[in-house]
Amino acid sequence: MNQITVEIKDQKDIITARQAVRDMARKLGLRLADQTRLATAISELTRNVIQYAGNGVCAIRDVSDAHVLRIVAVIEDFGPGILDVEKAMTYGFSTSKGLGAGLPGSKSLVQEFDIQSKPGNTKVTIVVCRRRV
Amino acid sequence: MKIPILKLGDTLLASIPEDLTDEDAIHFQTDTLEKVKKTEAGGVVIDITALQVVDSFMARVINDTANMAKLLGAEVVLCGMNPSVAITLVEMGRELIGVKAVLNLEQGMKALRKLIDKK
């Protein structure tokens, strides 16, 4: 199992995290569109960390097996938390000046998406998986 | 990082490099608008061939820049979007990009010429 952890403290870390996930996806043999989907989702989610929490961590793991290529990414922060997760997942809703496309947009790019939030801890888990060919 | 904005006759050309930070993107927006005003350009071609990732933030910066340039009286054409970026933007949601887009730089300059001449 291969894991990369990127600390998210400023804007440059958004780029580091999305490059790291792209690299891992490419090396695993995921197609370019999937590499881009993953990198874009990571970009959205780590930006949320910077914007709403200030800092956090992005952990990317390769948990592929003989049949399936699978990358799991966990983006976690220790900020104020999301007051209304359901609302935050609605397209067009934003508490900042954003487009409100970040969370629902990322969700539509991946196969699995989970978000847990309480004051002091928000954790988003995304999974991209593809059958090996 | 300062993105060069080149003047070609009455048009401007900017090629966005890979992995721009959010701050750089906002600076690019301001620089473009100021250059449009200063050079009295009829329009701008924004080339995004190098971008492997366009997230909702970058999409908004591009859209906003085009709308702002319009307010100044200039046209904007986007060119060179990668297929996987197009896939991602459409999958992410409605109308993240609402700018006139063409395949490559050559078509970009042609399309911009048309838009400017129409005015």
Side-chain angles (χ1 to χ4, degrees), chain A residues 16-97:
Chain A
T16 309
R18 75 184 186 209
Q19 276 173 348
V21 83
R22 257 174 71 89
D23 274 358
M24 187 185 277
R26 193 185 57 235
K27 281 178 193 152
L28 269 176
L30 280 168
R31 300 178 68 155
L32 188 57
D34 283 326
Q35 296 170 26
T36 307
R37 286 184 180 104
L38 252 173
T40 308
I42 293 288
S43 194
E44 300 285 353
L45 297 169
T46 51
R47 176 173 297 99
N48 281 353
V49 170
I50 298 291
Q51 198 163 6
Y52 297 105
N55 65 82
V57 177
C58 173
I60 306 155
R61 268 181 304 153
D62 161 25
V63 289
S64 305
D65 58 30
H67 308 288
V68 179
L69 298 170
R70 185 181 280 115
I71 292 182
V72 179
V74 179
I75 299 92
E76 194 170 12
D77 70 59
F78 311 98
I82 301 168
L83 206 56
D84 188 339
V85 172
E86 205 174 312
K87 221 173 178 179
M89 289 304 299
T90 315
Y91 197 96
F93 176 81
S94 176
T95 56
S96 63
K97 281 188 198 155

Side-chain angles (χ1 to χ4, degrees), chain A residues 11, chain B residues 1 3 19-29:
Chain A
Q11 288 177 5
Chain B
M1 185 197 310
I3 303 173
D19 294 331
L20 217 55
T21 63
D22 295 1
E23 217 176 82
D24 288 338
I26 293 294
H27 284 154
F28 166 70
Q29 181 171 78

Side-chain angles (χ1 to χ4, degrees), chain B residues 24-44:
Chain B
D24 288 338
I26 293 294
H27 284 154
F28 166 70
Q29 181 171 78
T30 316
D31 288 351
T32 305
L33 297 170
E34 280 171 356
K35 188 112 182 191
V36 165
K37 186 68 188 173
K38 211 171 105 189
T39 62
E40 299 184 334
V44 189

Side-chain angles (χ1 to χ4, degrees), chain A residues 11-12 14-15 18-19 22 32-33 36-37 39-40 43-44 47 91 97-99 101-102 105 108-109, chain B residues 18-24 52-60 84-85 87-88 91-96:
Chain A
Q11 288 177 5
K12 288 197 183 78
I14 299 175
I15 293 169
R18 75 184 186 209
Q19 276 173 348
R22 257 174 71 89
L32 188 57
T36 307
R37 286 184 180 104
T40 308
S43 194
E44 300 285 353
R47 176 173 297 99
Y91 197 96
K97 281 188 198 155
L99 284 173
S108 65
L109 294 176
Chain B
E18 202 184 351
D19 294 331
L20 217 55
T21 63
D22 295 1
E23 217 176 82
D24 288 338
Q52 302 294 335
V53 171
V54 175
D55 59 15
S56 63
F57 179 83
M58 195 62 210
R60 191 183 65 175
S84 55
V85 169
I87 291 170
T88 310
E91 284 179 352
M92 269 208 297
R94 313 178 287 240
E95 293 158 27
L96 279 176

Side-chain angles (χ1 to χ4, degrees), chain B residues 2-119:
Chain B
K2 189 143 174 101
I3 303 173
I5 302 166
L6 311 175
K7 185 174 175 295
L8 246 109
D10 62 346
T11 60
L12 298 177
L13 165 64
S15 211
I16 301 183
E18 202 184 351
D19 294 331
L20 217 55
T21 63
D22 295 1
E23 217 176 82
D24 288 338
I26 293 294
H27 284 154
F28 166 70
Q29 181 171 78
T30 316
D31 288 351
T32 305
L33 297 170
E34 280 171 356
K35 188 112 182 191
V36 165
K37 186 68 188 173
K38 211 171 105 189
T39 62
E40 299 184 334
V44 189
V45 173
I46 300 177
D47 170 44
I48 57 165
T49 309
L51 294 188
Q52 302 294 335
V53 171
V54 175
D55 59 15
S56 63
F57 179 83
M58 195 62 210
R60 191 183 65 175
V61 170
I62 292 169
N63 259 339
D64 286 358
T65 308
N67 286 329
M68 292 163 180
K70 265 199 184 131
L71 287 176
L72 299 181
E75 304 292 335
V76 171
V77 173
L78 192 66
C79 74
M81 185 182 292
N82 282 301
S84 55
V85 169
I87 291 170
T88 310
L89 280 175
V90 169
E91 284 179 352
M92 269 208 297
R94 313 178 287 240
E95 293 158 27
L96 279 176
I97 296 267
V99 187
K100 164 92 181 153
V102 295
L103 273 170
N104 53 38
L105 188 54
E106 199 179 335
Q107 290 184 12
M109 296 310 284
K110 271 188 201 155
L112 185 60
R113 186 78 264 148
K114 256 192 196 160
L115 283 176
I116 294 172
D117 290 345
K118 227 167 54 184
K119 284 204 295 193

